C-alpha cells in the first residue's frame, strides 16, 4: 500500500552535506505493524517524514496505493496527508491555545465536514483513546501520556489507512508508554496500518516486522 | 473554520493585546493624519471663487500729506477708471487677496451671531474680481443713501445666520461698528456671493461679509485694478507717473495678484510639505511596526504551521488562516478605535465638517486593512512554504 524504492535523502546546508538515507527500499502492506529502530541520528525520523510526505527525498520513488507520488502539487500532497496518513510525534505537537476537542478536530477542518459531524467524530476518537472525560481541557492541564493520547485521537479522527508514529513513547515513562502501545495495538487489530519508530526492544517485539537503520542504511 | 479561528483568537487574547494596542494606535495616528490631509485636500478642491489674473494692486501711500486725502483718492479713482487698459477698478481694505492681512468681526442677525472675515470694498469690486452673485446684486452707488450700510455676504455666512431664510433685505448688527471710520451701525444685505477664499486654495471657505466703503474714506489706501489682457509694464509706468502727478509726495506701489498668490502659496506649501513628510514617516513607521510584530508572531508559530500542513492544510489555507486571524484582530482594534474616532464628528471637534472626519475614518480603515493584509500575507506565505518536516522540527 505504501512503497519506497531506492530512496536517498541528503541534507545540504551551506557548510555540510549529510546523507541521512541511503537507498532505502520498503514495502508497507495493508494491516502491517512495522517498527523502525536504530541509533540516534541514523535517519529514522527522516524516513518517517518522507513516508508521510512531509519532506521530499533527494532520489528514489514513493508510491501510495500503486500510484507514484512525484511532482505532486501542494494541493494533492495536502489531500493525501489529510486522507491517507495520520501522524503521531514524540513531542505531541498539540496547539496549546485549543481545547482537547478542538485539537482533535484539526484534520477535519481541511475537508468538507460539517461542524456537527466534526464534533461527533472527534468525540468518538477521544473515546477510543479513553479521554472522553477530558474534552474541554487544555493541553497544559494534561499529563504527557494524556497528551499523546490526544495526539493519537487526532491522528485517527480522519480514519487514515496508515498511521506514522515517531517515537510516540519517547517522552513517556514505561507505564504510560505501554498504555500508548496498547492503544496502537488495538488500532492495528481494527485494521490500521502502522509504522512506528521506537528505541524499546520490548515494544518492537510486539510488532509484526522490524526495520533497522544504521547511518542511513537499512540493515534489517 | 471561522469558528475555529475565533476560538483560537479568543483563547490567546492575552498575547494578542499588544498587537491590538499596536493596531489601535496605528489607526488613531492614521485617523489624525488623514483628517488633516482630507481637510486640506477638501479646501484645495473648493474653488477660490474669484478671478485674480490680470488684477493689479496699487498701494497709494499718502506719507506726510494730510490735506484732502479723500478728495484726491476719489480723483485718482476716476482717473484710473478712465484708462482704456482698465476693465474695472475697486478700492479695498488692506486684506486684499493673498495678502498677509486679515480682519474679522462678529456679525449678528437677531440672536444669531457668527464670526466673519470683514472686507471693505466699493461698487465695482465684484466686477474687478469676477465674483459671481448667487442671489441679489452687488451694491450700487444709490445704496449709499440708505440708513444701513449695504453689504454682500457669502454663502457660508448666509447659512450660519439665515439657514433657509431669504437673506436679501435683512438687517445685520455689528458688535464693533466704529472701526475703520464707519459711522453706520447696521448693515442691509443686498446680495450673496458663493465663495471668497482670499488667502488662496488652501484656505477654508470662511464666512465673509463685504461692506460698502464710506465715500469719504481716507484710511483704505489700496486699489484693485483689473487690466485688459495684454496690458504690460509700459502702462504700469504711465499709471504710476500719472498718479504721482495728481498727488505729489505720495508713494505709489504696484503689485500683481498672480505674484502675491505665488508667494502666499509658497508660504502655505512649506508647512503642507513638512506635514506630508511627517505623515509619510508616521505611516512607514506604522507599517514597519505592524510588520515586525506580525512577522515575529508568525515565526513563533512555525511548528503550528508544520503541524497543520501535516494534518492536510494546503499552503493557501495556512496563509488564509493567518490572514483571517489578523483581520479579526484588526477589525477588533478598529472597532475600539472607532469608539474614539466617532467622537470627533459627533462633538464637532475643531469645528471641522463631519464629512471630513468620516472620510478620514473610512480611509484609515482601508489603509489599516491594506497594511495588515500585506504584513500578514508575506510572512505567512513564507512560513507556509517551508517543508512541513522542517517546520515541525523547530520547537
Ligand atoms: N533539517 C535538517 N538539516 C540538516 N541535517 C538534518 C536535518 N534533519 C536531520 N538531519 C540530519 O540527518 C541525520 C538523520 O536525522 P534523523 O532522521 O532526525 O535521525 P533519527 O530520527 O534517527 O535520530 C542526522 O545526522 C541529522 O543531523
Ligand atoms: Mg528522530
Amino acid at each position: 500500500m505504501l512503497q519506497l524504492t531506492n530512496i536517498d535523502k541528503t541534507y545540504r546546508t551551506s557548510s555540510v552535506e549529510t546523507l541521512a538515507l541511503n537507498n532505502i527500499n520498503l514495502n508497507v502492506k495493508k494491516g502491517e505493524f512495522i517498527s523502525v529502530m536504530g541509533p540516534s541520528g541514523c535517519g529514522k525520523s527522516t524516513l518517517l517524514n518522507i513516508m508521510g510526505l512531509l519532506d521530499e527525498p533527494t532520489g528514489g520513488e514513493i508510491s501510495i496505493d500503486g500510484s507514484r507520488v512525484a511532482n505532486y502539487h501542494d494541493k494533492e500532497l495536502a489531500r493525501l496527508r489529510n486522507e491517507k496518513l495520520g501522524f503521531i510525534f514524540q513531542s505531541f505537537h498539540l496547539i496549546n491555545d485549543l481545547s482537547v476537542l478542538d485539537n482533535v478536530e484539526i484534520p477535519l477542518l481541511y475537508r468538507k465536514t460539517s461542524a456537527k459531524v466534526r464534533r461527533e467524530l472527534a468525540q468518538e476518537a477521544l473515546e477510543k483513546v479513553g479521554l472522553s472525560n477530558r474534552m474541554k481541557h487544555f493541553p497544559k492541564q494534561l499529563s504527557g501520556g494524556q497528551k499523546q493520547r490526544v495526539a493519537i485521537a487526532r491522528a485517527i479522527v480522519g480514519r487514515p489507512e496508515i498511521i506514522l508514529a515517531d517515537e510516540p513513547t519517547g517522552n513517556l515513562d514505561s507505564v504510560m508508554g505501554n498504555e500508548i502501545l496498547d492503544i496502537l495495538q488495538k488500532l492495528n487489530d481494527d485494521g490500521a496500518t502502522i509504522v512506528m519508530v521506537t528505541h524499546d526492544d520490548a515494544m518492537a517485539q510486539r510488532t509484526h516486522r522490524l526495520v533497522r537503520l544504521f547511518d542511513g542504511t537499512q540493515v534489517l | 473554520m471561522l469558528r475555529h479561528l475565533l476560538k483560537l483568537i479568543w483563547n490567546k487574547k492575552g498575547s494578542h493585546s499588544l498587537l491590538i494596542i499596536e493596531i489601535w494606535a496605528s489607526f488613531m495616528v492614521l485617523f489624525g493624519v488623514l483628517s488633516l490631509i482630507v481637510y486640506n485636500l477638501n479646501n484645495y478642491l473648493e474653488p477660490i471663487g474669484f478671478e485674480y489674473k490680470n488684477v493689479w494692486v496699487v498701494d497709494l501711500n499718502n506719507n506726510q500729506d494730510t490735506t484732502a486725502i479723500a478728495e484726491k483718492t476719489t480723483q485718482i479713482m476716476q482717473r484710473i477708471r478712465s484708462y482704456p487698459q482698465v476693465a474695472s477698478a475697486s478700492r479695498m481694505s488692506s486684506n486684499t487677496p493673498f495678502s498677509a492681512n486679515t480682519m474679522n468681526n462678529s456679525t449678528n442677525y437677531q440672536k444669531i451671531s457668527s464670526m466673519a472675515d470683514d472686507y471693505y470694498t466699493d461698487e465695482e469690486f465684484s466686477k474687478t474680481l469676477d465674483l459671481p452673485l448667487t442671489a441679489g446684486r452687488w451694491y450700487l452707488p444709490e445704496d449709499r443713501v440708505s440708513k444701513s450700510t449695504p453689504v454682500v455676504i457669502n454663502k457660508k455666512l448666509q447659512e450660519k445666520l439665515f439657514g433657509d431664510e431669504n437673506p436679501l433685505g435683512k438687517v445685520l448688527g455689528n458688535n464693533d461698528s466704529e472701526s475703520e471710520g464707519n459711522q453706520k451701525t447696521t448693515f442691509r444685505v443686498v446680495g450673496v456671493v458663493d465663495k471668497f477664499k482670499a488667502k488662496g486654495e488652501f484656505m477654508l471657505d470662511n464666512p465673509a461679509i463685504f461692506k460698502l466703503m464710506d465715500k469719504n474714506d481716507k484710511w483704505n489706501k489700496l486699489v484693485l485694478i483689473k487690466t485688459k489682457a495684454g496690458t504690460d509694464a509700459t502702462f504700469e509706468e504711465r499709471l504710476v507717473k500719472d498718479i504721482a502727478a495728481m498727488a505729489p509726495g505720495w508713494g505709489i506701489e504696484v503689485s500683481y495678484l498672480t505674484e502675491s498668490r505665488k508667494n502666499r502659496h509658497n508660504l502655505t506649501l512649506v508647512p503642507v510639505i513638512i506635514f506630508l513628510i511627517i505623515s509619510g514617516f508616521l505611516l512607514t513607521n506604522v507599517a514597519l511596526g505592524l510588520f515586525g510584530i506580525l512577522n515575529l508572531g508568525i515565526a513563533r508559530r512555525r511548528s503550528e504551521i508544520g503541524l497543520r500542513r501535516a494534518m492536510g492544510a494546503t499552503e493557501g489555507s495556512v496563509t488564509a488562516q493567518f490572514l483571517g486571524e489578523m483581520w479579526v484582530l484588526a477589525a477588533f482594534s478598529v472597532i475600539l478605535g472607532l469608539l474614539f474616532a466617532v467622537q470627533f464628528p459627533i462633538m464637532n471637534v475643531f469645528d471641522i465638517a463631519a464629512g471630513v472626519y468620516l472620510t478620514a475614518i473610512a480611509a484609515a480603515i482601508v489603509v489599516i486593512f491594506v497594511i495588515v493584509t500585506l504584513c500578514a500575507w508575506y510572512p505567512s506565505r513564507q512560513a507556509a512554504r517551508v517543508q512541513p518536516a522542517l517546520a515541525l522540527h523547530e520547537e
Side-chain angles (χ1 to χ4, degrees), chain B residues 16-63:
Chain B
H16 283 320
S17 51
L18 180 67
L19 187 59
I20 288 175
I21 289 172
E22 166 92 18
I23 299 179
W24 170 80
S26 309
F27 176 79
M28 294 315 291
V29 168
L30 273 175
F31 168 65
V33 166
L34 288 168
S35 294
L36 274 165
I37 290 178
V38 171
Y39 174 79
N40 278 302
L41 199 68
N42 259 358
N43 287 347
Y44 186 75
L45 293 177
E46 293 276 351
I48 58 172
F50 62 94
E51 185 54 70
Y52 53 85
K53 282 198 193 89
N54 298 324
V55 178
W56 299 359
V57 181
V58 181
D59 186 350
L60 305 173
N61 190 343
N62 55 327
N63 292 332

Side-chain angles (χ1 to χ4, degrees), chain A residues 54 74 82 97 102 110, chain B residues 7 11-12 309 311 315:
Chain A
L54 298 184
D74 174 52
N82 184 253
D97 299 303
D102 290 327
Y110 303 110
Chain B
K7 269 188 211 164
N11 294 338
K12 291 211 288 196
R309 296 205 50 214
M311 300 289 126
E315 284 172 24

